[in-house]
Amino acid sequence: MAFFKNGGGSAMLRVLLKVFILVFTLLVLNACSSVFLGYEEENKNKIYSLDTKDCELLTKKELKYSKENVLEKIKDPLYNGNYYGYQAFLCKSYKDSIKLFDLVEDGYKDKDEKNLLLKIGEGVLEGLFNDNITDYSGQYYEKMLTNTYKSMSYLALGEYDEAGVEIKRALDRQKRNKEEFESDILSELNYLQQKPRESNEVIDIINNSVPIPAYKSYANYSNPFVSYFSALYYILDGRSNNSIDLLKEVYSQENDLLFYQDYELAKNNFNTKRIANKVKKGMQISKTNKYIWVIYENGKSKSLKEFNLSLPIVFIKKNDNDIDYKIPFGNEKYSVYANQLAVSSLVFSIAILGDSSDAYPFIVANNQKTRLLSDMDKIIGAEYKATLIPRISKSFLRAITKTMISVKANKENLYSGIGVDLVNNLLNHSDIRYFIGLPKNYQAIRIANSGSINIASPNSQTLFSQELDINKHYVILVKIPTIGTEYITIFEER
């Protein structure tokens, strides 16, 4: 408190108040509605657009096209770029998707290379207003998906080498993710090692030859879907040896015989005669050694929503020259006109996890049900939990800063204090931007390629049916965000 009584704190508050008023004026003039209104409505609109298959990207205000309809830039690239890049991929606008994901990667690079002064400046603005005043920074789990879906767009165009570059980048981001959350992973590993040994088909087959807990400990800080699709890419590209370690990681994390069979198929170059009978249990055997993998994106992932708190506080100034305040008690009478009243609020906002939702609990491909591959609820929840303390600390610091500015404005006069307090309440929003459109979970199934594929709902309603080349491997991605809306993408062997 000595700093404030000696006048240093008062000078600092005066500077903050002036900055606050200046930037607020600029925000109003530029109509930065997201800073005042948050992103709840915009998130809903994006979800609705995916649910209704709105593929008219040229009409989106966030995307800037040239006169020749060439995509040039995007507003808030990590928030809008990932969403529209993903949507463009689903809508088969693969070149636009690649361009959008390029802009996202540029955004990641800009964030990583931003100098210290700019970071400090952004931190001050976020402290005075809210996180929505700056571009979205992204979550760690989102980065590897940027490259994974970018690889899919290249693969859909038949550009296998370019797709391979993106697969390597996705796996590199996955590796860096593990390093970022190393302490959380070690804590999970310690917990898993103390649990009694589980028993299932996979664990009984491998008989302790693979350190299962070591793989499972980072499943929620990487993404088994990224590893699995990367493995399937190498199979489609004729490099199944490159998929072996990735599939080993997946079956160790999921403990499902389906993925262990994939591992054995890749290891034995799809010669099923070399695979033990106990491994082939329930497995469809292809006469041509060619298979179809169906990956199902089920429903919607956990969203983010705001938790807002505003507590009004009435202070009484001790005197006109002292910044110290006290909350009024007793029967003392004070005069508004004597400028003794001070009105403020303690405003606090933080992003909390919302709910996820299923479409179909599973789908059926040639009479085979899909099985869980990757639980996005757990992945999103793990990262949210790991970053929760910094989020809370930042929100509390912002609440204290805004309260101090409001109190300083009250020292000038009651009405300026009320005005600043009103603005603080208008700005009481948290950052609820995220990679919109991701599924609640990824599921998978492998079937023998018999020359056709029929994908159905749990009640046997056909969702997709097509003849296929019996002499090729295929990967078919089926996204169903809500019942009645299906996106189908087919990738074939090189």
Side-chain angles (χ1 to χ4, degrees), residues 278-327:
K278 63 180 179 179
V279 175
K280 293 188 285 190
K281 178 182 175 183
M283 177 180 171
Q284 288 189 0
I285 307 297
S286 170
K287 295 178 180 178
T288 60
N289 293 335
K290 298 297 180 181
Y291 291 87
I292 302 167
W293 288 266
V294 175
I295 297 178
Y296 168 41
E297 295 192 12
N298 167 37
K300 301 181 181 71
S301 68
K302 283 183 177 293
S303 61
L304 286 174
K305 57 184 182 179
E306 293 188 42
F307 173 77
N308 298 328
L309 184 66
S310 180
L311 297 175
I313 306 171
V314 178
F315 293 96
I316 302 299
K317 290 193 294 186
K318 287 183 177 180
N319 59 65
D320 289 338
N321 299 315
D322 197 339
I323 198 170
D324 198 10
Y325 289 79
K326 68 176 183 179
I327 298 175

Side-chain angles (χ1 to χ4, degrees), residues 393-431:
S393 300
K394 188 175 183 180
S395 295
F396 270 119
L397 183 60
R398 182 184 296 119
I400 292 168
T401 301
K402 288 184 175 182
T403 302
M404 290 171 65
I405 291 173
S406 178
V407 169
K408 173 59 184 172
N410 269 290
K411 184 169 175 61
E412 304 300 325
N413 64 71
L414 174 64
Y415 303 108
S416 65
I418 290 174
V420 170
D421 190 59
L422 178 62
V423 171
N424 280 342
N425 278 275
L426 286 173
L427 293 169
N428 191 32
H429 289 287
S430 49
D431 188 357

Side-chain angles (χ1 to χ4, degrees), residues 67 70 76 93 127 165 248 270 291 382 398 400 429 440 461:
K67 292 180 180 178
V70 176
D76 199 351
S93 297
V165 171
K248 184 178 184 179
F270 293 90
Y291 291 87
R398 182 184 296 119
I400 292 168
H429 289 287
K440 175 183 174 70
Q461 176 189 355

Side-chain angles (χ1 to χ4, degrees), residues 55-106:
C55 292
E56 296 297 325
L57 296 181
L58 285 172
T59 64
K60 307 305 179 185
K61 66 181 186 299
E62 298 92 344
L63 308 182
K64 304 299 181 185
Y65 286 85
S66 68
K67 292 180 180 178
E68 295 76 28
N69 289 336
V70 176
L71 183 65
E72 294 182 328
K73 60 182 180 178
I74 186 169
K75 175 185 175 185
D76 199 351
L78 303 192
Y79 172 58
N80 291 309
N82 268 329
Y83 169 75
Y84 286 116
Y86 181 51
Q87 186 179 35
F89 159 71
L90 294 172
C91 292
K92 304 187 185 305
S93 297
Y94 301 123
K95 291 184 179 179
D96 273 349
S97 175
I98 290 166
K99 177 62 177 175
L100 283 158
F101 284 132
D102 280 342
L103 294 173
V104 172
E105 289 204 90
D106 289 343

Side-chain angles (χ1 to χ4, degrees), residues 78-316:
L78 303 192
Y79 172 58
N80 291 309
N82 268 329
Y83 169 75
Y84 286 116
Y86 181 51
Q87 186 179 35
F89 159 71
L90 294 172
C91 292
K92 304 187 185 305
S93 297
Y94 301 123
K95 291 184 179 179
D96 273 349
S97 175
I98 290 166
K99 177 62 177 175
L100 283 158
F101 284 132
D102 280 342
L103 294 173
V104 172
E105 289 204 90
D106 289 343
Y108 285 135
K109 186 177 179 181
D110 289 344
K111 289 284 183 183
D112 292 339
E113 295 179 353
K114 191 166 290 182
N115 66 49
L116 183 61
L117 284 177
L118 281 175
K119 288 181 179 179
I120 291 172
E122 286 188 353
V124 170
L125 287 176
E126 290 170 358
L128 289 173
F129 297 90
N130 57 46
D131 289 346
N132 298 333
I133 199 170
T134 57
D135 282 351
Y136 177 52
S137 298
Q139 304 298 322
Y140 289 99
Y141 73 86
E142 298 172 352
K143 295 180 180 181
M144 66 188 84
L145 291 171
T146 298
N147 295 105
T148 302
Y149 285 112
K150 189 177 173 185
S151 77
M152 290 184 184
S153 283
Y154 276 122
L155 202 54
L157 291 170
E159 298 178 14
Y160 291 81
D161 293 340
E162 290 80 0
V165 171
E166 298 307 320
I167 289 294
K168 287 181 180 178
R169 287 175 178 168
L171 293 173
D172 181 61
R173 289 192 187 279
Q174 193 178 60
K175 179 183 176 182
R176 281 186 271 170
N177 224 46
K178 297 169 191 173
E179 293 168 356
E180 179 68 29
F181 296 102
E182 183 178 8
S183 62
D184 299 279
I185 291 169
L186 289 173
S187 176
E188 180 69 12
L189 176 60
N190 183 56
Y191 166 73
L192 291 171
Q193 287 175 333
Q194 292 178 19
K195 286 180 65 178
R197 181 180 182 274
E198 296 178 5
S199 179
N200 62 37
E201 292 172 313
V202 174
I203 292 174
D204 292 343
I205 289 171
I206 63 177
N207 193 27
N208 289 329
S209 61
V210 175
I212 294 285
Y215 285 102
K216 288 183 75 69
S217 64
Y218 62 78
N220 294 335
Y221 300 96
S222 57
N223 191 330
F225 160 69
V226 173
S227 301
Y228 194 64
F229 186 80
S230 299
L232 296 182
Y233 159 76
Y234 287 119
I235 290 171
L236 294 182
D237 198 42
R239 294 184 283 163
S240 57
N241 281 342
N242 290 20
S243 70
I244 293 172
D245 286 342
L246 294 166
L247 291 170
K248 184 178 184 179
E249 182 177 272
V250 173
Y251 83 67
S252 299
Q253 291 173 341
E254 298 305 314
N255 291 169
D256 190 316
L257 186 60
L258 170 73
F259 306 122
Y260 186 75
Q261 290 169 347
D262 286 328
Y263 165 77
E264 286 287 337
L265 282 169
K267 190 173 73 168
N268 291 286
N269 200 26
F270 293 90
N271 184 346
T272 54
K273 292 179 180 179
R274 300 176 186 171
I275 301 174
N277 287 330
K278 63 180 179 179
V279 175
K280 293 188 285 190
K281 178 182 175 183
M283 177 180 171
Q284 288 189 0
I285 307 297
S286 170
K287 295 178 180 178
T288 60
N289 293 335
K290 298 297 180 181
Y291 291 87
I292 302 167
W293 288 266
V294 175
I295 297 178
Y296 168 41
E297 295 192 12
N298 167 37
K300 301 181 181 71
S301 68
K302 283 183 177 293
S303 61
L304 286 174
K305 57 184 182 179
E306 293 188 42
F307 173 77
N308 298 328
L309 184 66
S310 180
L311 297 175
I313 306 171
V314 178
F315 293 96
I316 302 299

Side-chain angles (χ1 to χ4, degrees), residues 46-54 83 300 481-482 484-485 487:
K46 282 179 163 59
I47 292 169
Y48 178 78
S49 185
L50 272 181
D51 285 351
T52 56
K53 275 194 168 182
D54 176 10
Y83 169 75
K300 301 181 181 71
T482 188
T485 300
Y487 296 91

